[in-house]
């Protein structure tokens, strides 16, 4: 796998990496603000590992930010080998900075209405999660599991995550009260919808890449664990010949794929289409590597 310094030497601007880290840091601040100012004061949940940490904290009065960090550590360690260094480094930065911001921001309710807390808490945390995903990382937790699983096999991960979040909400309902559980369900639903608007909606994304640098682009795409279809095309106006490469990837890999494609060919045309279903071989074994 390539280290960041090697990627810079290979033609990637250092500003790209700096920009990604800055986006992740700002996203972590937004996520922590959504948790500390809207959800935690009303004892609501946001879903994922943050939700698990919150429910443990509500029941035991333990420090929620510390729980958030502790629960993410084994997932980050596992993801280091299962996903790739760049994605995990950005995710680790997100987890560490979110933990620090949660310690720095007091749990103060900006609204006394738990319904408003659920709505705006869901929106604000979605902004933090969505832009972190767009930068090529994640906010840790279930996203790391999703990235690792969907890179290896075609798996209905959304259903599994929905069941995990549902179990956490049920626990909140039994240990606290059902009003808080239902408000949390509303917050998680709103969060999911807004993450879809900021990032991409479906797990599977079909990418059509039109380029004149066919061989270089193939070498780049072959580092992904997915098949590639090559077609020769001709411009409708220019009448010039081009190559079109088609590959189906996951939403966790979209940011990395786009970044590397434009590094190889800044004038490449990329069309990303939501794929509602994929039939046949989606993943294939390959050497581990991160874009």
């Amino acid at each position: 796998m390539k280290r960041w310094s090697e990627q810079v030497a290979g033609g990637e601007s250092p500003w790209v990496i700096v920009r990604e880290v800055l986006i992740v840091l700002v996203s972590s601040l937004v996520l922590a603000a959504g948790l500390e100012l809207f959800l935690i004061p009303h004892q609501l949940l946001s879903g994922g590992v943050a939700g698990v940490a919150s429910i443990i904290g509500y029941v035991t009065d333990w420090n929620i930010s510390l729980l958030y960090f502790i629960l993410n550590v084994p997932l980050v360690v596992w993801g280091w080998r299962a996903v790739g260094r760049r994605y995990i480094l950005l995710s680790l930065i997100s987890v560490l900075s979110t933990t620090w911001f949660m310690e720095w921001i007091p749990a103060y309710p900006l609204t006394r209405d738990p319904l408003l807390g659920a709505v705006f808490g869901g929106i604000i945390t979605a902004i933090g999660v969505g832009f972190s995903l767009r930068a090529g990382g994640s906010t840790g937790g279930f996203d790391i599991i999703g990235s690792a699983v969907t890179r290896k096999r075609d798996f209905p991960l959304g259903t599994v995550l929905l069941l995990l979040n549902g179990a956490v909400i049920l626990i909140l309902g039994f240990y606290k009260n059902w009003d808080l559980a239902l408000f949390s369900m509303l917050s998680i639903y709103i969060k999911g919808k807004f993450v879809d608007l900021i990032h991409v909606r479906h797990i599977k994304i079909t990418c059509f890449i039109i380029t004149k640098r066919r061989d270089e682009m193939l070498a780049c795409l072959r580092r992904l664990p997915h098949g590639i279809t090559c077609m020769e095309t001709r411009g409708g106006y220019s009448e010039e010949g081009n190559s079109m490469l088609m590959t189906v990837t996951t939403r966790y890999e979209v940011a990395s794929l786009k970044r590397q494609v434009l590094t190889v060919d800044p004038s490449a045309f990329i069309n990303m289409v939501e794929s509602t279903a994929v039939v046949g071989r989606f993943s294939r074994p390959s050497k581990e590597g991160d874009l």
Side-chain angles (χ1 to χ4, degrees):
M1 289 182 292
K2 291 189 176 182
R3 298 181 182 274
W4 283 9
S5 60
E6 292 173 337
Q7 291 172 339
V8 171
E12 186 173 2
S13 170
W15 166 243
V16 173
I17 297 174
V18 173
R19 183 182 63 186
E20 289 173 352
V21 172
L22 289 176
I23 292 174
V24 168
L25 290 175
V26 174
S27 298
S28 299
L29 175 60
V30 174
L31 175 61
L35 292 170
E36 292 288 334
L37 301 180
F38 291 94
L39 298 179
I40 292 177
H42 295 290
Q43 295 198 331
L44 301 176
L45 304 179
S46 67
V49 168
V52 175
S54 296
I55 188 66
I56 295 174
Y58 298 155
V59 174
T60 63
D61 289 327
W62 292 352
N63 186 295
I64 294 178
S65 61
L66 181 59
L67 287 169
Y68 174 79
F69 175 76
I70 292 174
L71 291 175
N72 269 294
V73 167
L75 295 175
V76 170
V77 173
W78 173 61
W80 182 266
R81 295 188 60 84
V83 180
R85 293 185 181 181
R86 183 171 190 145
Y87 176 86
I88 293 301
L89 282 172
L90 288 173
S91 301
L92 180 60
I93 292 172
S94 175
V95 170
L96 289 172
S97 55
T98 300
T99 302
W100 187 83
F101 285 131
M102 288 178 69
E103 284 291 319
W104 179 66
I105 300 174
Y108 176 80
L110 290 186
T111 175
R112 300 294 177 181
D113 188 344
L115 178 59
L116 291 177
V119 172
F120 284 95
I123 293 173
I124 293 173
T125 55
I127 293 173
V129 172
F131 280 100
S132 184
L133 287 171
R134 290 193 65 169
S138 75
T139 54
F142 292 168
D143 280 334
I144 294 178
I145 299 175
S147 181
V149 172
T150 56
R151 286 178 186 225
K152 299 298 182 182
R153 62 186 64 190
D154 190 9
F155 194 76
L157 184 72
T159 303
V160 176
L161 298 186
L162 179 62
L163 292 174
L164 291 173
N165 285 327
V168 174
I169 290 174
L170 287 176
I171 294 172
L172 179 65
F174 280 112
Y175 278 92
K176 289 295 182 178
N177 65 69
W178 289 104
D179 285 343
L180 293 179
L182 294 175
F183 282 138
S184 296
M185 187 180 297
L186 174 63
S187 178
I188 292 172
Y189 176 80
I190 293 173
K191 174 184 174 182
K193 290 297 180 180
F194 271 82
V195 169
D196 291 347
L197 293 175
I198 297 171
H199 193 46
V200 290
R201 191 162 89 181
H202 294 281
I203 291 295
K204 306 296 185 297
I205 305 294
T206 300
C207 300
F208 298 91
I209 304 163
I210 298 178
T211 179
K212 293 184 180 298
R213 302 181 179 179
R214 177 181 179 276
D215 294 338
E216 297 172 66
M217 198 64 70
L218 273 174
C220 172
L221 295 179
R222 281 170 179 160
R223 294 163 57 198
L224 278 173
H226 308 305
I228 310 163
T229 299
C230 302
M231 293 165 275
E232 296 304 316
T233 61
R234 183 173 295 277
Y237 290 96
S238 65
E239 296 293 336
E240 295 181 357
N242 297 282
S243 295
M244 182 170 72
L245 286 68
M246 184 192 77
T247 185
V248 180
T249 185
T250 70
R251 72 183 178 99
Y252 300 98
E253 297 165 300
V254 164
S256 294
L257 184 144
K258 182 173 67 173
R259 181 181 62 245
Q260 289 296 319
V261 165
L262 295 178
T263 298
V264 172
D265 183 4
S267 61
F269 176 82
I270 310 173
N271 182 25
M272 299 183 182
V273 182
E274 298 174 351
S275 301
T276 56
V278 176
V279 179
R281 187 177 65 180
F282 170 63
S283 299
R284 62 176 175 79
S286 67
K287 295 181 179 180
E288 183 184 5
D290 54 314
L291 288 174

